Amino acid sequence: MQALKDRIRRDGKILPGGIVKVDSFLNHQLDPLLMHQIGEEFHRRFRDEPITRILTIETSGIAAALTTGLAFGVPVVFAKKHKSANMSGECYTSRVYSYTKKTEYEVSVSTEYLRASDRVLVIDDFLATGNALKGLTDILSQSGASLAGIGIVIEKSFQHGGRELREAGYHIESLARIREITAHDVLFDD
């Protein structure tokens, strides 16, 4: 998606450790027009799938998941990183290691919101090592729902997550695939 690549180059900040900071438009402050385009692009790429739900993980994946849910006209469910008092009843849970936060946490989804009859599209903001996606696919497996595909806003293709998930047979569509981060530039696949 050229508009996204252009925005990453223009407004993204390169940090040590292979980190591209995109918080001015994607995961702290949001650009609503860009988020709308992202949702429409995921819809275009997965429109032939009979999607019944969108699944993401809080917090940064919610905006892209919401605009995708709007494009498909289906509910959006997000895995919570912390069980709250209002999350009653049974939950599907999985352990996830965060590459950027260097910590492991448990994510949960109420059994009310994922059913075996669902055909789910997973959406997330970043794919690097694939840990968050492995946790979400584990939750889908527990629920019995089927995975229609995975939509990623930005993939770091120089890390192993995308390759491993594709080798496992998952259909992944990434809107921007970063192959290299230099001190001054972001280089994309495609």
Side-chain angles (χ1 to χ4, degrees), residues 24-165:
S24 68
F25 60 92
L26 182 63
N27 56 19
H28 190 67
Q29 173 176 270
L30 299 171
D31 178 335
L33 296 176
L34 180 63
M35 296 313 298
H36 175 73
Q37 291 174 336
I38 286 169
E40 290 295 320
E41 181 63 18
F42 282 134
H43 181 261
R44 186 185 71 75
R45 292 183 186 207
F46 290 100
R47 69 177 165 238
D48 294 334
E49 294 287 340
I51 307 296
T52 62
R53 292 209 193 290
I54 307 294
L55 176 65
T56 192
I57 196 165
E58 72 176 351
T59 303
S60 297
I62 294 174
L66 180 61
T67 58
T68 304
L70 281 168
F72 276 98
V74 300
V76 175
V77 177
F78 63 90
K80 292 187 173 195
K81 292 180 182 174
H82 306 284
K83 274 191 180 177
S84 60
N86 67 354
M87 200 168 169
S88 61
E90 303 257 336
C91 293
Y92 306 114
T93 61
S94 189
R95 305 249 356 130
V96 174
Y97 179 78
S98 170
Y99 174 79
T100 53
K101 294 185 176 132
K102 309 285 189 236
T103 187
E104 187 175 78
Y105 51 89
E106 186 173 86
V107 295
S108 303
V109 173
S110 172
T111 58
E112 292 179 72
Y113 303 123
L114 280 178
R115 296 175 186 86
S117 60
D118 281 321
R119 184 97 171 123
V120 178
L121 175 60
V122 171
I123 298 290
D124 206 1
D125 62 336
F126 271 93
L127 169 54
T129 61
N131 291 321
L133 292 173
K134 289 172 187 169
L136 291 176
T137 58
D138 178 41
I139 284 173
L140 285 176
S141 178
Q142 292 172 48
S143 74
S146 60
L147 177 63
I150 298 170
I152 300 298
V153 179
I154 301 171
E155 178 181 347
K156 293 180 178 180
S157 61
F158 60 89
Q159 290 185 304
H160 60 86
R163 179 180 39 80
E164 288 177 358
L165 290 164

